[in-house]
Amino acid sequence: MNFNIYNIIIIAGILQGFIFVAVVLCSKKYQSKSTLFLTGLIFCYSASILIYILPDIGLISLTEAYRYLFLPFASIIPVLIYFYVIYFLNPSYKFSLTDKLLFLPFVLFLSVFIAYKAFILFGIEAMETITSTFKFWIYFNEIFSVFYSIVLIGILMVKVFKYGASKEKFDLKFIRPGLTWLKTMLIFIYVFVFVWGYLTYVNIFTSSIKENHFYYLWIPMAVTIYLFGHIGVYKHGIIKERLKIRNYINTNEKNDKKASHTNQNIKDFENYLINEKAYLDSNLSLESVADHLKLSPSYLSRIIHSHLDTSFSDYVHSLRAKEAQNYLSNPEFSKYTMVAIGLEAGFNSRSAFFNIFKKETGKTPFQYKKEYLKNDL
């Protein structure tokens, strides 16, 4: 056996990956198309590294690993990343024929390697060596997968950055997720793909690389992929909680606050913010509301001060704090995270939620929730 700190870290990561997959697949909370692709990604990455780590620690030879265990996971990993992100951004996305074609390279490579294993099983190929033909397909799979990853993840990054930059109208029926974490993860993965390409080139076309050089890729890549998985599942849980809260808004809540002002612009303003619930849009601004009402921002600010005796931001903060109070006082949401409640109430971050809520109520969200639910018992 050849154990060292590097392969111990890798083995621990592989075990963690398989446990992660089992837990997520067995939990009803995380059942969705996006998490299905995410767990597929974690499983395939863990399995692909396992194939290389077993010979390194001396359990089997590299030849045996290729003959009996090797499968072309490298060609499906970028596809799984691609569809995880697509379904994360748009859960109602419709799978097309073009989408299915993205799996074709993996299917073709898989057919080749299964056929090779069948040849060994039936004695057509020698069991002691890896033939030059099989070695060609191993190298071809590796080189193709590098370029395939560069193209697919590159396309994906363009989609994500365009999606993040777009300013779509707020829609109560749709949860728009935050993407900072996703952009960061994709950038790291993209850099690792180029490192993988360099190591693959050196490994195939020169003799200057050692097997443990791949540890410099495997370890940070494993950390990134597993972190990607954990954050992805956490974000899915947040969105699912927000959807349930949003459904509560649409079906159970009746806001009886009525506009009683004679100024028509103020009536339109309150109708837009209260009845249409525009205050739930974390990107709401005086300018965007003025644009919606076809007024100038300065005029809208003046009439809010004049008729409502408050500022635009204080008015919106008050509505959001009351919205959060409704959620915090509802036993149905007692186990929901403060992040989900704050985001669904219209705040753009956990810190903004806590600061503004305490300013409006004199209590932190945790204090308010604890006191209200305690008094309700």
Side-chain angles (χ1 to χ4, degrees), residues 327-352:
Y327 306 152
L328 292 169
S329 62
N330 190 329
E332 184 179 347
F333 306 136
S334 62
K335 295 184 179 180
Y336 281 26
T337 62
M338 288 299 172
V339 175
I341 288 174
L343 291 175
E344 195 49 40
F347 298 99
N348 58 13
S349 69
R350 187 179 187 273
S351 60

Side-chain angles (χ1 to χ4, degrees), residues 258-315:
K258 304 295 182 181
S260 59
H261 303 280
T262 56
N263 186 291
Q264 185 60 45
N265 289 326
I266 287 296
K267 287 183 179 181
D268 293 340
F269 171 74
E270 289 199 315
N271 178 67
Y272 179 53
L273 263 71
I274 297 173
N275 296 333
E276 297 184 33
K277 295 191 175 295
Y279 64 90
L280 297 178
D281 180 6
S282 61
N283 295 316
L284 191 74
S285 65
L286 176 65
E287 290 73 19
S288 67
V289 175
D291 183 62
H292 177 81
L293 298 177
K294 295 180 171 53
L295 302 172
S296 72
S298 59
Y299 174 71
L300 178 59
S301 179
R302 286 199 304 272
I303 64 173
I304 292 172
H305 276 284
S306 174
H307 290 270
L308 301 179
D309 195 27
T310 187
S311 67
F312 172 81
S313 59
D314 286 345
Y315 186 83

